[in-house]
Amino acid sequence: MSSSDRQDPRPQAADLADPLYYLQNMETVVNWVRQNHSDLLTPEENHRLAGFVELSVSARALLTRMVMRTGELFRVDKLNYPELPDKESVALAELTASDWVVAADHLRIDDLFRLFTLAELRPAFACILSDLGHPRSLPKARMKALLSDHLGDTVRLADWLPAHGDTVVSLAHMPLFDRIRLMFFGNLRQSWPDFVLVELGYQQYEEVTFTPESRAFQHRHEVDCYLEMHQCREQLDEGVPVADLWPQVPGPTDNTWLASRRDRLLLELGRQAERQGERELALAALAESTHREARLKQLRLLERMKRFDEAWAIARDWHATELSDAEHQGLARILKRVAGKVGEPAPELPADPAPEEFLVTLPQSGVPVEVAVQQHFWQDDQPVFYVENTLINGLFGLLCWDVIFAPVPGAFFHPFHVGPADLTREDFVPRRRELLEQCFLHLENGDYSEVILANYRRKRGLANPFVNWLVVDENLLELALVCIPPDHLEVLFRRLLHNLKEHRSGFPDLIRFLPDDPDPTRRYEMIEVKGPGDRLQDHQRRWLAFFQRQGIAARVCYVRWQEDVT
């Protein structure tokens, strides 16, 4: 049974045992868009999608296979899908008759050489190569270059490969498939093969209530805006100069989700413009972007251009605002360098406290260094776990589960989200602040353990961007909830929320529990492990400094191997 025949209105992942599972997943996308986004499509596009559903199973499956493949041109004799109920020729005839594919009688030289083998091309062009004074045994790339210069960009297939004159077809409506993929996912990063072959059956997903407001786009012009930005990024990746792309960049938008994507595009345009020697253009792009990284890059560029007064004015004013740790660190370094250039005293910035360190000497046992230290310190009454970034993130994800999956507008666009689309955007917290504060009340009221454990048992196995089910088990959770005070959890969670993209990593490798310690604030400690030659990274130093300021026990364990000791 195809997904279009199911009675359940909520899309389901296809059964991977079904040889046509990829068709079921494609139908999921088509039906979801028809049900939830039809107002963003033209009448012609809606009619075309309705026609897709009416095709035979074989025609729908073959069309899906073609959409999934790279490019829009296909050799008929290379279409081989034995799982189709009907022959490929029958399905293709139906697709041709309904204008889903069209004959491609003219091909660009690049496409000709991509679709046909050297053995097929050499006889066809032997005479012209001879007339040009070249042997027919030229390699493919050299032959293509010569023919491009002589024949132009496009050739008529029947003139050169008459036996194949009617064997190449082209997809007629690929832009429509790209548009519905964008409306379903809210991005074009996830390709058709990734989604149709893998994504839907990969995980179990939390059920989120969908409303018209939760869609990625509310208006068709917003879809167009995204596609324009995507085209700019593709051209940038292909090496088109930023100066040529700059006029194509869409203007500011009121859609906060689109605005964040525009900020990332401007950041990348600024980076590439500087590399291309277009420094003024780079400054303009970086100044217009509100991406977290843009301001520091703008300041560093002004510094390299020796425009110290401008850099100082921006850095001095920016320093007074609330910054993430990475921004604070980068800005402090710039202020220190630029202050002397403008004859100003550098601001007094508080120094981070040095982390507590110790050294252990261990025999090499063939296990990772973190595991060796875990085994070294393990005691039955003081267990040690290798958790790195999983435990604190997991506790947060379980406490705030309902907030993470709240149907906030623009957060969930389809039923297969691991987490909200705006998770790392600057407005993630402001749009959920009241809900988050209600979660923190559980820490204050003392019932947070019950909430976390209840969510663990109720939601176990469902995808959550903060919870790694392979590491976080009930035993670990119960120990953590006994040993980590709620006020520690609150300050850790609030720091996470200050910059979710940056602060979800950098936690120490190990956590050691001391449940019998009389001091409730000393019933656990975090241990960052560094093997021989390894050193702390910046984001790890920032977490360690935070622990020091908050009175949270954390140390750095440096390891040397016994055979290295002389």
Side-chain angles (χ1 to χ4, degrees):
M1 180 185 295
S2 72
S3 64
S4 59
D5 297 324
R6 296 192 193 105
Q7 297 302 311
D8 184 357
R10 188 177 188 84
Q12 302 294 320
D15 182 357
L16 298 186
D18 183 347
L20 294 175
Y21 70 94
Y22 59 87
L23 173 58
Q24 292 189 37
N25 285 340
M26 174 62 84
E27 290 174 329
T28 290
V29 177
V30 171
N31 291 331
W32 181 264
V33 171
R34 290 181 67 205
Q35 292 164 10
N36 296 280
H37 302 275
S38 61
D39 60 312
L40 304 182
L41 297 171
T42 65
E44 180 182 355
E45 289 167 342
N46 276 306
H47 178 73
R48 176 56 56 180
L49 291 182
F52 174 86
V53 176
E54 294 170 358
L55 292 170
S56 69
V57 171
S58 294
R60 293 201 305 273
L62 180 59
L63 181 57
T64 298
R65 283 292 196 184
M66 296 170 77
V67 168
M68 286 163 43
R69 286 173 53 173
T70 301
E72 299 177 24
L73 293 169
F74 304 91
R75 287 180 58 168
V76 172
D77 57 338
K78 299 296 184 182
L79 296 174
N80 181 29
Y81 299 106
E83 75 275 10
L84 300 185
D86 302 308
K87 291 183 178 180
E88 291 87 353
S89 59
V90 174
L92 188 64
E94 183 180 350
L95 293 176
T96 302
S98 52
D99 190 38
W100 283 104
V101 300
V102 295
D105 52 0
H106 286 75
L107 296 179
R108 294 186 306 118
I109 292 290
D110 285 347
D111 292 324
L112 181 73
F113 274 71
R114 178 176 58 82
L115 291 168
F116 292 90
T117 66
L118 186 57
E120 292 168 322
L121 293 168
R122 275 178 172 166
F125 294 104
C127 290
I128 191 171
L129 288 173
S130 178
D131 292 343
L132 293 173
H134 296 284
R136 62 179 293 171
S137 59
L138 286 175
K140 201 173 187 181
R142 177 62 178 151
M143 189 192 305
K144 183 175 76 169
L146 288 170
L147 293 175
S148 294
D149 292 340
H150 187 73
L151 299 176
D153 291 334
T154 305
V155 296
R156 185 171 178 266
L157 185 58
D159 292 341
W160 297 100
L161 293 168
H164 297 280
D166 59 354
T167 63
V168 178
V169 295
S170 175
L171 286 172
H173 300 281
M174 194 61 195
L176 174 58
F177 282 101
D178 287 336
R179 185 175 286 267
I180 67 172
R181 174 164 61 100
L182 171 58
M183 287 189 286
F184 184 84
F185 282 116
N187 68 73
L188 288 174
R189 181 186 68 257
Q190 289 163 286
S191 68
W192 282 116
D194 289 342
F195 168 69
V196 174
L197 295 178
V198 179
E199 290 285 339
L200 292 189
Y202 185 64
Q203 299 187 88
Q204 292 180 287
Y205 301 89
E206 175 65 286
E207 291 191 7
V208 179
T209 303
F210 290 95
T211 67
E213 292 75 25
S214 69
R215 301 185 304 179
F217 307 96
Q218 298 301 319
H219 306 283
R220 183 178 176 86
H221 69 80
E222 294 174 342
V223 183
D224 295 335
C225 176
Y226 185 105
L227 292 169
E228 290 169 10
M229 290 191 289
H230 182 72
Q231 186 178 36
C232 283
R233 183 55 194 259
E234 284 189 322
Q235 293 181 72
L236 188 66
D237 293 341
E238 292 167 0
V240 175
V242 175
D244 294 341
L245 294 177
W246 185 245
Q248 302 177 34
V249 177
T253 173
D254 293 333
N255 182 314
T256 57
W257 173 77
L258 279 177
S260 70
R261 302 197 70 88
R262 182 175 181 272
D263 287 336
R264 287 197 291 275
L265 174 62
L266 291 169
L267 173 69
E268 190 57 32
L269 287 169
R271 286 172 172 162
Q272 295 297 334
E274 183 180 5
R275 291 172 187 156
Q276 295 169 12
E278 297 279 358
R279 286 185 159 185
E280 293 296 337
L281 185 52
L283 284 177
L286 293 171
E288 194 169 337
S289 173
T290 62
H291 191 280
R292 282 187 180 275
E293 299 177 28
R295 187 66 61 88
L296 282 176
K297 291 188 179 299
Q298 178 192 19
L299 289 171
R300 288 168 183 149
L301 178 54
L302 286 170
E303 189 180 3
R304 285 192 289 274
M305 295 171 70
K306 301 188 184 304
R307 290 161 61 168
F308 301 117
D309 289 331
E310 293 177 58
W312 176 258
I314 294 172
R316 181 192 57 207
D317 293 340
W318 189 33
H319 181 257
T321 63
E322 186 177 9
L323 305 174
S324 72
D325 287 349
E327 289 170 328
H328 185 276
Q329 185 180 66
L331 179 58
R333 292 169 178 170
I334 290 173
L335 284 168
K336 185 176 181 180
R337 293 193 302 265
V338 174
K341 303 292 186 181
V342 297
E344 295 284 351
E348 289 290 333
L349 302 176
D352 287 334
E356 185 179 344
E357 302 173 348
F358 67 103
L359 175 70
V360 297
T361 302
L362 301 175
Q364 280 192 304
S365 57
V367 299
V369 64
E370 298 88 356
V371 176
V373 175
Q374 177 194 17
Q375 294 172 348
H376 173 73
F377 281 110
W378 178 280
Q379 297 180 36
D380 289 342
D381 61 343
Q382 295 182 5
V384 183
F385 294 84
Y386 183 11
V387 295
E388 200 170 5
N389 300 315
T390 59
L391 179 58
I392 301 304
N393 278 299
L395 288 166
F396 172 80
L398 291 168
L399 178 68
C400 300
W401 189 288
D402 292 341
V403 181
I404 294 166
F405 291 99
V408 174
F412 298 95
F413 314 135
H414 57 79
F416 307 103
H417 275 280
V418 172
D422 62 341
L423 183 64
T424 58
R425 283 207 328 241
E426 282 78 359
D427 62 346
F428 175 85
V429 173
R431 297 205 300 159
R432 298 164 175 82
R433 191 174 301 281
E434 184 176 342
L435 294 174
L436 288 165
E437 292 302 328
Q438 291 174 12
C439 282
F440 290 145
L441 282 177
H442 293 298
L443 295 168
E444 181 180 332
N445 297 336
D447 61 347
Y448 63 97
S449 296
E450 289 82 356
V451 173
I452 288 172
L453 290 171
N455 279 336
Y456 174 84
R457 294 160 186 155
R458 185 165 53 101
K459 304 293 187 178
R460 187 173 182 179
L462 296 182
N464 182 308
F466 295 94
V467 183
N468 183 333
W469 298 108
L470 297 177
V471 178
V472 178
D473 60 25
E474 195 158 358
N475 177 52
L476 175 60
L477 286 178
E478 288 176 343
L479 268 171
L481 292 170
V482 166
C483 296
I484 304 177
D487 55 330
H488 286 196
L489 291 176
E490 180 170 353
V491 296
L492 290 167
F493 294 167
R494 289 193 183 279
R495 185 174 190 272
L496 268 180
L497 290 169
H498 186 57
N499 188 335
L500 283 169
K501 183 177 181 180
E502 180 183 313
H503 293 168
R504 281 193 292 169
S505 62
F507 287 97
D509 300 298
L510 307 178
I511 186 165
R512 180 165 70 153
F513 295 113
L514 303 92
D516 296 328
D517 194 295
D519 184 349
T521 67
R522 293 288 167 176
R523 290 177 181 161
Y524 76 104
E525 71 166 336
M526 300 187 190
I527 303 172
E528 175 64 33
V529 179
K530 293 298 176 187
D534 199 3
R535 61 180 184 178
L536 291 171
Q537 301 176 39
D538 280 349
H539 66 311
Q540 294 172 328
R541 291 184 182 277
R542 292 192 287 268
W543 265 116
L544 289 165
F546 175 81
F547 297 146
Q548 288 272 74
R549 292 193 295 270
Q550 297 296 329
I552 293 174
R555 295 187 290 166
V556 182
C557 173
Y558 288 96
V559 177
R560 62 180 177 183
W561 304 120
Q562 282 181 353
E563 48 266 44
D564 296 334
V565 180
T566 57

